[in-house]
């Protein structure tokens, strides 16, 4: 298994891998044994005058060199912090502080480094379970569906949890964090919106985890709020551009019906009273 931790929502992902048993060591264990022996020696001599032992400084120097070696990077890594290449999502200007904490597996042979070893490993990961729920910056994002399952969002996923057998299903077509969600009146269709430079909205079936419609544009930066009309024929969405633009989509045909400026004040939510009328609310805003 592989465990990873999410970003703002602090979700914990458990992945099942198809790796076999770890192969035997490549000799690095000897270094570990030396380190353990050194640690034991340090403990045994803790009551002695260490200044009189000439090997103490040598051991400290070796450990210092080992730590410094572990913090080294390849020249093409760009250093500890570097700008991400321009791309989609709000990660396109991100830095990489995690580089200093990532090292190759202990069984990896440096002398075998070649073009063949620089690619992705021949291994597949299958998401098994997500521990966590995004509640710090989302609203109305947890709902029972008509079949008794529970739908919500976490990280870049739409999650459907079955409490009867403690299992989860995932809608994983988003490329960035999902920060808004809406539930169709029929109780089986879900809409989710993501963050990013040009965020995407997906309408999907919560039973089959398949996409019904996909909308890209005209909203920018992130989709902060989503809502279906009472009949389920319309979907309203709010963006995070300077004007907090509003878009209305036709759920049946998958087309954009309306795009207009919202307000310079931040819009927090949108709701329909009918297919042709909706209201928005936010920071010093009601319209």
């Amino acid at each position: 298994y592989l465990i990873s931790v999410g970003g703002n929502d602090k979700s914990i992902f458990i992945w099942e891998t198809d790796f076999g048993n770890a192969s035997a060591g490549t000799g690095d264990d000897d270094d570990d044994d030396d380190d353990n022996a050194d640690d034991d020696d340090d403990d045994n001599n803790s009551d002695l005058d260490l200044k009189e032992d000439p090997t103490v400084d040598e051991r400290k120097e070796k450990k210092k060199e080992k730590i410094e070696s572990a913090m080294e990077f390849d020249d093409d890594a760009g250093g500890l912090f570097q700008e991400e290449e321009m791309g989609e999502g709000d990660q396109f200007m991100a830095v990489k502080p995690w580089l200093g904490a990532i090292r190759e597996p202990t069984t990896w042979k440096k002398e075998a480094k070649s073009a063949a070893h620089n690619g992705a490993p021949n291994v597949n990961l299958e998401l098994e379970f997500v521990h966590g729920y995004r509640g710090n910056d989302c609203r109305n994002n947890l709902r029972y569906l008509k079949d008794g399952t529970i739908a919500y969002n976490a990280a870049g996923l739409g999650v459907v949890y079955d409490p009867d057998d403690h299992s989860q299903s995932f809608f994983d077509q988003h490329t960035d964090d999902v920060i808004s969600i809406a539930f169709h009146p029929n109780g089986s269709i879900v809409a989710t919106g993501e963050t990013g430079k040009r965020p995407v909205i997906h309408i999907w079936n919560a039973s089959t985890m398949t996409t019904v419609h996909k909308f890209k544009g005209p909203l920018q930066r992130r989709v902060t709020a989503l809502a279906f009309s009472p009949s389920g024929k319309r979907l309203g969405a709010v963006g995070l551009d300077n004007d907090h633009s509003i878009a209305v989509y036709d759920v049946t045909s998958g087309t954009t019906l309306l795009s207009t400026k919202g307000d310079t004040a931040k819009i927090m939510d949108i709701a329909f009273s009918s297919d042709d009328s909706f209201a928005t609310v936010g920071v010093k805003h009601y319209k």
Side-chain angles (χ1 to χ4, degrees):
Y1 294 95
L2 173 70
I3 297 177
S4 62
V5 180
N8 290 333
D9 53 7
K10 309 298 189 296
S11 296
I12 300 175
F13 286 39
I14 298 179
W15 306 79
E16 185 176 3
T17 75
D18 57 3
F19 274 120
N21 294 329
S23 58
T26 59
D28 292 337
D29 292 341
D30 295 339
D31 294 337
D32 295 338
D33 293 341
D34 293 341
D35 290 342
N36 293 333
D38 291 343
D39 293 338
D40 293 341
D41 291 343
D42 289 343
D43 293 339
N44 295 334
N45 297 330
S46 58
D47 296 332
L48 301 178
D49 184 2
L50 299 181
K51 293 182 180 180
E52 297 179 358
D53 187 352
T55 61
V56 171
D57 292 337
E58 295 177 3
R59 288 199 296 267
K60 288 182 178 180
E61 188 64 27
K62 286 181 62 177
K63 290 184 178 180
K64 180 180 178 181
E65 291 175 357
K66 193 170 185 178
I67 293 173
E68 290 176 349
S69 175
M71 293 298 291
E72 289 179 354
F73 307 98
D74 294 334
D75 292 338
D76 57 1
L80 182 59
F81 293 93
Q82 72 177 93
E83 288 187 346
E84 187 68 274
E85 292 183 2
M86 185 69 73
E88 296 294 332
D90 65 348
Q91 304 296 320
F92 68 98
M93 290 296 286
V95 295
K96 298 180 178 179
W98 42 265
L99 283 177
I102 302 297
R103 301 300 300 173
E104 66 273 7
T106 54
T107 56
W108 183 70
K109 298 180 179 180
K110 292 185 178 181
E111 61 270 16
K113 186 175 181 181
S114 64
H117 289 78
N118 290 334
N122 184 23
V123 59
N124 294 316
L125 295 176
E126 181 179 352
L127 184 58
E128 185 175 82
F129 206 88
V130 175
H131 297 269
Y133 156 79
R134 187 165 191 141
N136 65 315
D137 57 357
C138 296
R139 294 167 179 80
N140 302 320
N141 63 330
L142 180 71
R143 187 75 57 87
Y144 273 99
L145 302 180
K146 69 176 183 179
D147 60 359
T149 57
I150 304 170
Y152 56 95
N153 59 293
L157 299 170
V159 182
V160 177
Y161 172 70
D162 189 340
D164 291 336
D165 58 6
H166 189 54
S167 64
Q168 292 177 335
S169 300
F170 309 104
F171 180 79
D172 59 359
Q173 297 304 301
H174 285 282
T175 58
D176 216 318
D177 283 358
V178 175
I179 47 87
S180 57
I181 189 170
F183 306 94
H184 195 278
N186 69 7
S188 61
I189 300 296
V190 179
T192 46
E194 65 185 24
T195 185
K197 187 177 181 180
R198 294 185 179 89
V200 173
I201 298 171
H202 285 278
I203 299 178
W204 46 280
N205 189 306
S207 299
T208 62
M209 295 296 156
T210 56
T211 300
V212 178
H213 291 299
K214 175 182 177 180
F215 303 107
K216 187 171 184 178
L219 304 181
Q220 299 179 20
R221 297 181 184 171
R222 65 168 52 187
V223 181
T224 59
L226 288 169
F228 283 101
S229 64
S231 68
K233 295 180 179 179
R234 305 283 188 267
L235 175 68
V238 180
L240 196 63
D241 57 287
N242 294 338
D243 295 314
H244 298 94
S245 298
I246 300 170
V248 177
Y249 305 95
D250 188 312
V251 176
T252 303
S253 64
T255 58
T256 303
L257 300 176
L258 168 70
S259 176
T260 184
K261 293 181 179 180
D263 199 322
T264 54
K266 187 175 183 179
I267 298 177
M268 311 296 289
D269 206 356
I270 181 174
F272 284 85
S273 58
S274 68
D275 284 344
D276 302 318
S277 179
F278 63 87
T280 55
V281 295
V283 179
K284 299 181 180 180
H285 166 88
Y286 173 79
K287 187 182 292 187

